Amino acid sequence: ALDNCESLGTDEIYVHVRAFCDSLHRSEYFPQTAAARELDFDPLEYITEKTHERGIKVHAWINPYRVQSGSEDITALDPQSPAYIWLTDDNTDNDVNVLKCSGIYLNPAEYEVRELVIDGVREILEKYDVDGIHFDDYFYPSDDPELDRQSYEKYAGESENPLPLDDWRRANVNALISGVYTAVKFHSKDTVFSVSPAASVENNYSRLFADVKSWIESGCVDCIIPQLYFGFSYPDDEYKFENLLEQWTQMASCGKGAQLKIGLAFYKTGTDQQPDSEEWGTSDDIIARQAEICRDNRDTAGYVLFSYSSVFSDGELNIKQRENLKKTITQTEND
């Protein structure tokens, strides 16, 4: 894998260490990912050692709230999962720590949840020589007022001037982001805290309750990596790549030095899903063109490709896309 990454001039990798309230490494707080339990070595220790030998940085990638996708069946959870324990122990008061919404999620409103997530971050920083902590775009799973009614009503009942529901939700996410940033910087000022929001600035704010602008303005993130997973010909103008890029560069410019890197959708190469198939299903140079735009844009600090399996797929179109990207990288190096 690292041989392949080096062939593209990669200087950073993002390793998924917590996708579903679990852990790639053995953890005091989360059950170990099933596949990792079969190993007779520590996979995260091995990864950090091998990447650093090649001068490549490694970021520990976490989905902070997601527990299970597509099902609300708690019996499918690992019995050691914090969500399972909260829902099945004798203490019904802590059931509020878990939300169900066509899946299972930790509740951003609850202090115990924030403490768990931050403790998990500290554990990684203390045990492993990672260069950064990275959060993915899963924040609130829905804007339905019923989702967290119990938590909000408790908050409102205890507050003299309670925030409206939307602002309260944003404040909950802000509290986690700020708390993680503090934990990261307490460990080392050189460790990077990055977040990868969804593509739409407006949807992040109003539907996912991720107030990215406030994170940038307050300086509680080091890097923002928006998922601009759209091409040049998307039928909705708002989501055309260059229009999204303009929105994000404008937002990043108002902050306190947070870097802006752009997430690019190599995984869409060859897709037959509408409406992306009209462009991604046949084009072999979308990523190369987007990488070139990022390179030439003075407000961006680079780009991040999602994901490894797509970048190095043996699919005919993936190979062509990869080779065209290599040409762009070679041109950059020569320049």
Side-chain angles (χ1 to χ4, degrees), residues 55-68:
I56 297 174
K57 294 181 179 180
V58 59
H59 300 254
W61 165 17
I62 296 169
N63 292 105
Y65 298 122
R66 184 176 64 179
V67 181
Q68 181 169 282

Side-chain angles (χ1 to χ4, degrees), residues 9 241 250 305:
F241 176 77
Q250 287 179 357
L305 305 175

Side-chain angles (χ1 to χ4, degrees), residues 21 32 34-35 38 49 57 89 108 117 124 141 153 159 165 176 186 212 220 241 274 276 289 293 297 325:
C21 203
Q32 191 171 26
E38 302 172 3
E49 177 186 341
K57 294 181 179 180
D89 63 13
V117 175
I124 293 170
E153 288 181 347
S159 303
L165 176 63
L176 177 67
F186 182 83
V212 183
C220 63
F241 176 77
Q274 294 291 347
D276 293 305
R289 291 159 58 198
I293 289 171
N297 190 312
L325 175 60

Side-chain angles (χ1 to χ4, degrees), residues 1-2 5-6 9-16 44 46-61 128-134 185 188-194 222-223 225 259 261 301 303-304:
L2 289 174
C5 289
E6 281 195 323
T10 303
D11 54 13
E12 297 181 328
I13 62 171
Y14 296 76
V15 179
H16 220 167
L44 188 52
Y46 180 83
I47 289 168
T48 54
E49 177 186 341
K50 295 303 179 183
T51 53
H52 288 160
E53 283 177 1
R54 307 212 188 194
I56 297 174
K57 294 181 179 180
V58 59
H59 300 254
W61 165 17
Y128 302 98
D129 186 23
V130 297
D131 300 285
I133 297 293
H134 178 70
K185 295 308 172 183
S188 170
K189 63 180 179 59
D190 296 324
T191 304
V192 173
F193 178 42
S194 59
D222 296 308
C223 182
I225 311 173
Q259 285 190 326
K261 298 180 182 178
Y303 54 88
V304 179

Side-chain angles (χ1 to χ4, degrees), residues 174 177 181 195 197 201 211-226 247-260:
N174 288 352
I177 297 297
Y181 182 81
V195 184
V201 171
D211 189 358
V212 183
K213 185 177 181 181
S214 76
W215 306 344
I216 295 172
E217 289 178 340
S218 63
C220 63
V221 289
D222 296 308
C223 182
I224 292 292
I225 311 173
Q247 291 180 47
W248 283 98
T249 54
Q250 287 179 357
M251 180 185 290
S253 67
C254 70
K256 295 184 177 180
Q259 285 190 326
L260 175 66

